[in-house]
Structure formats: C-alpha cells, structure tokens
Amino acid sequence: MSELAQKECIPCKGGVPPLKGEPLQSLQRQLGSGWNVVNEHHLEKDYAFKNFRDALAFTNRVGELAESTNHHPDIYLAWGKVRITLWTHSIDGLSESDFVMAAKIEQLPKS
C-alpha cells in the first residue's frame, strides 16, 4: 500500500491556499499511476473496463470509499470507461487530501 493511501482524507474548510508548483509536483510523483494534474487545479484519471457492468461496479466501489472518507470525486461513467476527477471545492484547487483519495482509489479492485 502506498504511503499516500495510508493517510486520511482531512476535510478542508477553506482558508488554505491550493497546492501549486513543487509541492503539487511532489505529490503527483508520489501518486504516479497515470493520474494527471490538470492546470494545477484538479486530478483526473480514466479507467478502462471490459463492459458497462465492470465500470459500474468500480464506480460503486469509488462511491462507497467517498462516503467513508467524506471526500467526493466527480465520476463520469460510460460503457467500459470511468473518469475520476478530484479537487477540493472549498479552495477551488488541489489539497493533499485529493492525492490521498486518488491513492485510495488506486487500491480498489478494478474487477
């Protein structure tokens, strides 16, 4: 299990600046796994599946994780595809918790 995945998602109430520059890049390197930082604002990753049923099952696992951690990504579900988008809405950018959530999603079974 990655170091990031072992951490807890900490709800952000605002008042802290979003991650930028080297701190952001450092967390992205730790995360790896094909996650993209888009415009230093959000994380995004596409997952491919053999069919709609597997994509839906993964979506449901992500949903359960989101509820248990109180950190809710945007999820796009289509036939054979799930896109996860993460950012901390209260700061309109990325926090460490977004990377923690992404790492936790990486630990979920894909099928």
Side-chain angles (χ1 to χ4, degrees):
M1 180 180 263
S2 77
E3 277 187 46
L4 280 174
Q6 293 176 21
K7 292 184 176 187
E8 289 187 37
C9 291
I10 300 169
C12 184
K13 306 278 187 215
V16 297
L19 293 168
K20 300 285 183 189
E22 177 51 35
L24 181 66
Q25 294 167 8
S26 175
L27 284 167
Q28 183 179 18
R29 285 190 299 274
Q30 290 177 54
L31 180 59
S33 305
W35 284 89
N36 297 306
V37 173
V38 180
N39 298 326
E40 289 193 325
H41 179 266
H42 58 275
L43 286 171
E44 190 170 84
K45 182 172 181 179
D46 288 340
Y47 292 88
F49 297 90
K50 293 184 286 185
N51 53 48
F52 186 81
R53 182 178 308 244
D54 290 348
L56 178 59
F58 179 72
T59 298
N60 287 329
R61 285 190 289 276
V62 172
E64 289 298 322
L65 175 63
E67 281 297 296
S68 72
T69 60
N70 197 31
H71 196 98
H72 301 89
D74 289 352
I75 305 171
Y76 169 79
L77 169 65
W79 192 98
K81 176 182 177 179
V82 174
R83 175 177 295 141
I84 305 292
T85 306
L86 284 159
W87 79 94
T88 301
H89 296 258
S90 62
I91 62 172
D92 194 28
L94 288 164
S95 70
E96 181 181 59
S97 288
D98 298 306
F99 289 87
V100 169
M101 183 63 172
K104 290 180 182 298
I105 290 170
E106 284 300 306
Q107 302 294 313
L108 295 174
K110 306 303 184 278
S111 60

